[in-house]
């Protein structure tokens, strides 16, 4: 089992680049178009290859089943459109274009086939005779995507000319041109109801259009590179998009929000397709694999429940029902505290998300980014309300005032800025550190504490805008500063591998906690202030007794650096949530038995292998038999519970 990934599902290895795929209408077959011009036909019952169709001389750009499931159409770069019998695999017709054929789609009745080509045209063909019925002229560059409306009366085509054209099938007349994309349009899909069109473009966005009015209803931003394919779910409630960034994103069409991001491909995603039941998405990639994603219940939690890169910040909501995480993958994810289901993905940042924090009421989230900006989000909807600009370097940390009306941001430009939440206006700049400011927190009495690369902690009076105390002692970059719940103590940590506890009134260092063997990047107090958790680049998390400085527990052999940790309280139970370099977010239950502490894994949102020596998985949710064996192989103890409870399934389905 060495090398098995946590939460991984099956995939098909073709050995060459996958360009296209499609399910049969009954879901019993899946066809895959490949770069060498062949088409693989699989049975979905056992995922065995039924046959391979040969005839094309170049890559198969797109494939489609007829509505009855008795015929296959394939579009190829060899300038042909080929029709095949499903039962026999025999070639029925070869339909010739003047240049590369980029797309193909059947009419709902199956009597006509639409195709698009590099010769700037789209064509309509008789599916029985192979006769060309209409040639649609109007695009001013290559036509690279095509879709048929469910009514059968309209076809949509997308082009390198950045437009989408809607055509009347009966007349061949262009009835509307949709403008908005700033680059070529690779993917098109009608909603099952036929009232909307989804489009994916080189401009990295998905757009949802109203067919009747031609108005763009949503611009879906989240991908970081070209979008190659879009697909509507059978019920019309969701759109899947796949692109060059190697991810598949699932979008809620009513809110325009990203529900899940599926990461696993190591190359560009060329095609995405929903199964007829809508419980599965297939994705084909230039990494030579076809991956199958369960988007219905527990597997979607494991697959979508992971960042694609390092998790740099985690925070618990004030109510304790939700976790926010920020990552180098530019995303913020909101997790259900109980089940680990990803409720929302907040996309919009264009660089590493280095800090996240909830407002005191929990209705807002502020985030800091490596592109020098701060974003303010509505927690319930995930919508970005403000983008705060003014810093001239990386924003490392953000904090809300106790009243929730002000955001403080700390930056590598050596400053702290204060922003009005309502209007987004920066009304104060604190500039006294001689190095980048890595951490900022609010204290009682309209005061701030900041930690810096200059190895000092500074306490600020915001009424006077002056620094009234400097705490010195660290010998390297200070990574994080936190305040005890009682407000009488500060804890700080950094690259000198120590944690220091400071008396708030005197500014004296009361204790120095040592034991970590590499930089300590994250710390968090328990709700009662008696324990402190620390996360380190030495791949461990430690629990410390604040009064004595004694290390009470160690979870070691994480698979990678642990960048952040936050303490969450729920009733009388304490939990820790950690964020790791491998993109994982882990929830741990803190258990004290006979004066000894240990951590019990509750859930994991991870795409990488987990090593957790000394950690308990007793009662853990969401682990398959394979996951359980993998965890035990890598040092965990105990017995997990069965896969997600019904409440978890319901949450995931509605998330």
């Amino acid at each position: 089992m060495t090398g098995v990934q946590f939460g991984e599902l099956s995939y098909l290895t073709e050995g060459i680049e996958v360009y296209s795929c499609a399910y049969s209408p009954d879901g019993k077959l899946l066809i895959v178009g490949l770069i060498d011009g062949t088409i693989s036909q699989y049975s979905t019952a056992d995922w065995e290859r039924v046959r391979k169709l040969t005839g094309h001389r170049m890559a198969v750009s797109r494939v489609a089943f007829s509505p009855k499931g008795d015929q296959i159409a394939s579009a190829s770069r060899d300038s042909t459109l080929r029709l095949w019998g499903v039962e026999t695999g025999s070639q029925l017709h070869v339909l010739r274009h003047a240049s590369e054929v980029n797309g193909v789609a059947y009419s709902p009745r199956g009597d006509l086939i639409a195709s698009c080509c590099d010769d700037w045209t789209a064509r309509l063909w008789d599916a029985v005779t192979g006769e060309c019925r209409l040639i649609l002229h109007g695009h001013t560059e290559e036509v690279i995507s095509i879709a048929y409306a469910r009514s059968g009366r309209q076809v949509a085509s997308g082009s390198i000319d950045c437009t989408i054209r809607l055509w009347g099938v009966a007349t061949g007349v262009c009835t509307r041109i949709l403008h908005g994309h700033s680059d070529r349009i690779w993917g098109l899909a009608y909603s099952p109801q036929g009232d909307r069109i989804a489009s994916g473009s080189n401009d990295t966005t998905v757009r949802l259009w109203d067919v009747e009015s031609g108005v763009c209803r949503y611009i879906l931003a989240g991908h970081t590179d070209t979008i190659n394919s879009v697909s509507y779910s059978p019920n019309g409630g969701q759109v899947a998009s796949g692109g060059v960034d190697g991810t598949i994103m699932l979008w809620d069409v009513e809110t325009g929000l990203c529900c899940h991001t599926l990461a696993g491909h190591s190359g560009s995603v060329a095609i995405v397709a929903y199964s007829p039941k809508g419980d599965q998405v297939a994705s084909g990639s230039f990494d030579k694999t076809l991956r199958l994603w369960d988007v219905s219940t527990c597997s979607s939690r494991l697959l979508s429940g992971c960042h694609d890169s390092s998790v740099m910040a985690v925070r618990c909501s004030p109510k304790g029902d939700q976790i926010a995480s920020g990552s180098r993958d530019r995303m913020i994810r909101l997790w259900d505290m109980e089940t680990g289901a990803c409720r929302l993905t907040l996309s919009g940042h264009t660089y590493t998300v280095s800090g996240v924090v909830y407002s005191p009421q929990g209705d807002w989230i502020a985030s800091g980014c490596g592109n020098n900006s701060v974003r303010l989000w509505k927690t319930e909807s995930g919508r970005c309300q403000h983008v705060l600009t003014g810093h001239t370097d990386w924003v490392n940390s953000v904090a809300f005032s106790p009243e929730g009306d002000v955001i403080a941001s700390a930056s590598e430009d050596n400053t702290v800025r204060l922003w009005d939440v309502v209007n987004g206006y920066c009304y104060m700049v604190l500039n006294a550190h001689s190095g980048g400011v890595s951490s900022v927190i609010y204290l009682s009495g309209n005061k701030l504490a900041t930690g810096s690369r200059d190895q000092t902690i500074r306490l600020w009076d915001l009424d006077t805008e002056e620094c009234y105390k400097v705490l010195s002692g660290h010998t390297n970059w200070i990574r994080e500063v936190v305040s005890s719940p009682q407000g009488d103590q500060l804890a700080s940590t950094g690259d000198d591998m120590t944690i220091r506890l400071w008396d708030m009134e005197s500014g004296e260092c009361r204790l120095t906690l040592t034991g970590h063997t590499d930089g300590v990047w994250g710390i968090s107090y328990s709700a009662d202030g008696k324990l402190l958790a620390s996360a380190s680049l030495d791949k461990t998390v430690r629990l410390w007794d604040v009064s004595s400085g004694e290390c009470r527990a160690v979870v070691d052999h994480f698979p990678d650096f642990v960048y952040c940790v936050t303490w969450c309280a729920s009733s009388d139970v304490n939990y820790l949530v950690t964020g790791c370099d491998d993109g994982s977010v882990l929830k741990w239950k803190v258990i004290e038995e006979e004066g000894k502490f240990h951590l019990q894994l509750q859930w994991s949102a991870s795409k990488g292998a987990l090593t957790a020596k000394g950690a308990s998985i007793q009662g853990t949710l969401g682990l398959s038999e394979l996951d359980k064996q993998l965890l035990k192989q890598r040092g965990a103890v105990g017995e997990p519970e069965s896969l997600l409870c019904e409440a978890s399934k319901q949450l995931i389905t509605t998330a």
Side-chain angles (χ1 to χ4, degrees):
M1 286 189 17
T2 301
V4 176
Q5 289 194 332
F6 193 82
E8 184 176 356
L9 288 188
S10 301
Y11 60 90
L12 306 175
T13 301
E14 285 289 351
I16 55 176
E17 288 88 337
V18 177
Y19 270 63
S20 53
C21 69
Y23 282 92
S24 62
D26 60 8
K28 294 181 179 180
L29 296 174
L30 182 77
I31 51 175
V32 182
L34 303 170
I35 191 173
D36 67 353
T38 64
I39 301 167
S40 293
Q41 184 176 326
Y42 290 94
S43 166
T44 59
D46 54 13
W47 293 108
E48 292 294 322
R49 184 185 281 123
V50 176
R51 64 173 54 90
K52 180 169 280 194
L53 309 181
T54 60
H56 285 295
R57 294 179 290 103
M58 297 180 70
V60 179
S61 306
R62 287 293 183 263
V63 289
F65 273 97
S66 64
K68 293 180 180 179
D70 59 342
Q71 193 180 83
I72 293 169
S74 57
S76 171
R77 289 185 175 179
D78 66 6
S79 305
T80 69
L81 178 71
R82 294 172 188 254
L83 307 185
W84 314 79
V86 171
E87 286 296 324
T88 63
S90 60
Q91 188 171 274
L92 306 176
H93 292 290
V94 179
L95 316 179
R96 301 191 182 277
H97 274 275
S99 190
E100 294 184 8
V101 188
N102 299 307
V104 61
Y106 276 92
S107 67
R109 291 195 303 174
D111 57 332
L112 293 175
I113 298 170
S115 62
C116 59
C117 179
D118 275 2
D119 66 3
W120 301 10
T121 70
R123 293 172 184 250
L124 298 181
W125 308 82
D126 188 296
V128 176
T129 66
E131 177 189 355
C132 181
R133 293 279 190 86
L134 279 175
I135 301 178
L136 310 179
H137 295 278
H139 283 293
T140 58
E141 291 191 66
E142 292 94 326
V143 186
I144 55 178
S145 53
I146 195 92
Y148 229 114
R150 188 173 184 178
S151 66
R153 295 190 295 271
Q154 190 179 78
V155 167
S157 59
S159 170
I160 290 179
D161 66 14
C162 307
T163 69
I164 300 165
R165 289 179 177 255
L166 307 184
W167 308 85
V169 169
T171 63
V173 174
C174 177
T175 58
R176 191 179 298 278
I177 303 175
L178 310 182
H179 296 275
H181 282 296
S182 60
D183 209 331
R184 62 189 63 189
I185 298 155
W186 284 107
L188 281 178
Y190 276 93
S191 66
Q193 297 78 18
D195 58 340
R196 287 193 179 182
I197 293 173
S199 59
S201 168
N202 252 42
D203 65 13
T204 76
T205 69
V206 175
R207 289 178 179 248
L208 302 184
W209 308 83
D210 182 85
V211 171
E212 185 175 352
S213 67
V215 173
C216 178
R217 297 298 184 188
Y218 284 114
I219 301 174
L220 313 180
H223 284 285
T224 59
D225 210 327
T226 296
I227 297 168
N228 292 320
S229 176
V230 292
S231 178
Y232 260 98
S233 63
N235 65 9
Q238 202 174 71
V239 167
S241 58
V244 175
D245 62 9
T247 68
I248 299 100
M249 302 188 81
L250 307 183
W251 308 87
D252 185 291
V253 300
E254 292 304 318
T255 65
L257 297 176
C258 177
C259 310
H260 301 292
T261 301
L262 311 179
H265 283 293
S266 60
S268 174
V269 176
I271 185 73
V272 291
Y274 278 92
S275 63
K277 292 181 180 179
D279 59 341
Q280 193 176 80
V281 169
S283 59
S285 170
F286 291 174
D287 67 6
K288 306 178 184 180
T289 69
L290 183 98
R291 288 184 179 261
L292 309 171
W293 310 87
D294 183 349
V295 295
S296 58
T297 55
C298 59
S299 292
S300 92
R301 182 180 70 89
L302 291 170
L303 288 166
S304 65
C306 61
H307 284 287
D308 197 33
S309 189
S310 310
V311 176
M312 308 306 296
V314 288
R315 286 292 184 273
C316 185
S317 65
K319 294 180 181 178
D321 60 338
Q322 192 179 83
I323 295 292
S325 60
S327 169
R328 282 180 177 156
D329 67 7
R330 311 174 191 183
M331 303 294 177
I332 299 165
R333 296 182 184 276
L334 307 185
W335 313 89
D336 183 82
M337 183 65 177
E338 181 182 354
T339 67
C342 183
R343 287 179 171 177
L344 280 177
T345 299
L346 313 185
S347 59
H349 280 297
T350 59
Y351 210 72
T352 296
V353 181
S354 47
V356 293
V357 65
Y358 284 91
S359 65
Q361 296 77 28
D363 53 342
W364 294 97
I365 292 172
S367 57
C369 180
N371 71 348
N372 314 342
S373 70
V374 176
R375 286 181 178 249
L376 186 61
W377 314 79
K378 289 295 290 183
T379 304
E380 185 175 354
S381 67
R383 293 204 174 279
C384 180
Q385 299 294 118
H386 291 299
V387 180
L388 312 179
T389 59
H391 283 294
T392 58
D393 208 334
W394 192 298
V395 178
N396 291 312
S397 177
V398 286
F400 272 97
S401 65
E403 296 77 21
D405 58 343
V406 177
I407 297 170
S409 57
S411 170
E412 284 295 309
D413 64 10
N414 300 4
T415 71
V416 173
R417 289 177 175 257
L418 302 188
W419 312 83
D420 185 278
V421 168
V422 175
N423 58 36
Y425 175 71
C426 176
Y427 68 89
M428 188 183 300
V429 180
L430 306 177
N431 190 351
H433 281 289
S434 59
V437 188
S438 53
S439 182
V440 60
I441 58 169
Y442 267 89
L443 307 174
S444 60
N446 204 28
K447 294 178 172 60
L448 281 181
T450 56
S452 169
R453 279 182 183 263
D454 66 12
Q455 304 173 21
T456 68
I457 300 164
R458 293 179 180 261
L459 307 185
W460 304 82
D461 187 321
L462 298 182
D463 293 328
T464 64
E465 301 184 26
E466 296 291 333
C467 172
Y468 66 89
K469 195 169 291 183
V470 180
L471 312 183
S472 301
H474 280 287
T475 59
N476 207 328
W477 183 0
I478 296 173
R479 290 285 181 176
E480 187 162 25
V481 178
V482 296
S483 174
S484 65
Q486 296 78 14
D488 59 342
Q489 187 180 82
L490 282 179
S492 60
T493 190
D495 284 358
D496 63 4
M497 301 183 289
T498 70
I499 301 157
R500 293 175 182 258
L501 306 183
W502 309 83
D503 182 81
M504 188 75 77
E505 185 175 350
S506 66
E508 296 296 321
C509 180
R510 191 175 63 81
L511 281 174
T512 300
L513 313 181
T514 60
H516 283 294
T517 58
D518 207 334
V520 186
W521 280 41
I523 48 176
S524 180
Y525 277 99
S526 61
D528 60 10
K530 295 179 179 180
L531 293 173
L532 188 75
S534 59
S536 172
L537 303 190
D538 66 10
K539 304 180 184 179
T540 72
V541 169
R542 291 176 177 254
L543 295 187
W544 308 86
D545 187 295
V546 170
S547 60
S548 67
E550 177 187 359
C551 181
R552 303 298 303 276
V554 180
V555 177
D556 58 0
H557 296 292
F558 276 82
D560 238 315
F561 303 145
V562 189
Y563 286 125
C564 48
V565 61
T566 189
W567 210 295
C568 307
S570 178
S571 301
D572 296 327
V573 182
N574 284 317
Y575 298 97
L576 284 179
V577 177
T578 56
C580 200
D581 190 47
D582 67 349
S584 64
V585 177
L586 308 176
K587 177 190 171 185
W588 308 86
K589 185 178 181 180
V590 181
I591 299 173
E592 182 181 9
E593 293 177 338
E594 299 179 354
K596 294 182 179 180
F597 288 89
H598 66 274
L599 301 185
Q600 180 186 84
L601 182 64
Q602 298 292 289
W603 50 255
S604 168
S606 170
K607 69 182 181 67
L610 175 66
T611 304
K613 182 180 178 182
S616 170
I617 57 172
Q618 186 71 32
T620 303
L621 292 172
L623 299 183
S624 67
E625 187 65 27
L626 179 64
D627 295 330
K628 181 179 76 172
Q629 294 178 46
L630 177 61
L631 283 161
K632 287 192 171 184
Q633 174 184 302
R634 302 191 179 183
V637 296
E639 289 296 323
E641 289 184 3
S642 59
L643 286 174
L644 294 176
C645 61
E646 289 304 314
S648 304
K649 291 181 180 179
Q650 184 177 2
L651 173 62
I652 293 160
T653 302
T654 58

